[in-house]
Amino acid sequence: MFKIKQSKEKKGKMMRRDKSPPTLMDDLKYLFGKLVVVVVVFASLYYFLFGVIRYNDDGMKPALKDGDLVVYYRLDKRYSVGDLLVYSYEGKERVARVIATEGSSIDINENGLIINGSPQQEQDIYKETLLYKGGITFPIKVPQGQLFVLGDNRTSAVDSRVFGPIPINDTDGKVVTLIRRRGF
């Protein structure tokens, strides 16, 4: 009986040696591996699915303010009137609101913004929609596969009044959220 007990103790000791706790180096390797996986996942999401820009303009006041972080979804290119989108113009990423989609007729005159023959009264637009000197001529019809975009701050926004409708394929993506950022 004594021998049996002794052999069980030896087996127990041997089992503890095989199942010894991981060393500090093993823990660090495991942690580093997890961090690499997390970084790769977030980088992939950022590069392929989402984008983030810091908004540095006043063309979308009051909806966006200077310093806000704008998160946009790159894969959804189905825009509706009122959606915010991110696009590039003259090497700068900009944000604007979709005012009209393909097939709509746009006119801007002394009466303001007219879409498909109806004057527009837009919520949260506090300044007049005026023409730009040297911009495009109105009225226009938005071509197939393009959008007409305007900034909410109509006196200072650089938008479709300057360069005309933009191709949907040239947009970066649809804005999904924004993060107010102040004092940084």
Side-chain angles (χ1 to χ4, degrees):
M1 187 158 186
F2 182 73
K3 288 183 179 181
I4 295 172
K5 191 175 183 181
Q6 212 173 24
S7 64
K8 284 183 182 178
E9 286 178 14
K10 285 183 180 178
K11 284 183 182 177
K13 286 181 183 177
M14 288 176 55
M15 289 173 71
R16 276 187 237 129
R17 284 186 196 149
D18 293 341
K19 300 253 182 183
S20 62
T23 65
L24 179 61
M25 189 55 98
D26 291 337
D27 283 343
L28 289 175
K29 286 179 186 176
Y30 183 72
L31 177 63
F32 182 72
K34 280 192 168 194
L35 287 175
V36 167
V37 168
V38 168
V39 167
V40 166
V41 166
F42 277 109
S44 297
L45 285 174
Y46 174 75
Y47 187 74
F48 294 111
L49 295 178
F50 295 98
V52 178
I53 63 167
R54 182 168 184 226
Y55 186 73
N56 293 321
D57 199 358
D58 67 342
M60 283 299 296
K61 278 187 179 177
L64 296 175
K65 296 177 180 148
D66 189 28
D68 289 346
L69 294 177
V70 177
V71 179
Y72 60 96
Y73 184 58
R74 296 178 189 269
L75 300 180
D76 189 7
K77 301 283 181 143
R78 296 171 295 163
Y79 298 105
S80 301
V81 172
D83 286 344
L84 293 180
L85 62 83
V86 177
Y87 67 98
S88 296
Y89 178 68
E90 293 183 343
K92 182 178 178 187
E93 288 183 307
R94 300 177 184 270
V95 179
R97 187 174 305 279
V98 176
I99 298 301
T101 57
E102 56 191 19
S104 299
S105 61
I106 310 290
D107 193 11
I108 297 176
N109 57 31
E110 62 279 348
N111 297 328
L113 176 64
I114 300 169
I115 300 175
N116 295 328
S118 299
Q120 302 297 301
Q121 289 187 335
E122 301 169 282
Q123 186 176 355
D124 296 328
I125 306 299
Y126 303 111
K127 302 195 178 179
E128 286 184 275
T129 305
L130 302 171
L131 295 172
Y132 268 103
K133 292 179 181 174
I136 64 170
T137 58
F138 289 94
I140 66 163
K141 186 172 183 173
V142 180
Q144 186 77 17
Q146 296 190 7
L147 302 167
F148 194 86
V149 297
L150 293 176
D152 288 354
N153 186 359
R154 302 288 165 82
T155 56
S156 65
V158 176
D159 49 33
S160 288
R161 294 173 291 170
V162 175
F163 49 78
I166 59 174
I168 292 173
N169 292 334
D170 289 350
T171 63
D172 294 340
K174 186 187 294 189
V175 174
V176 291
T177 192
L178 65 101
I179 301 166
R180 296 279 182 206
R181 198 175 148 175
R182 300 290 183 261
F184 291 105

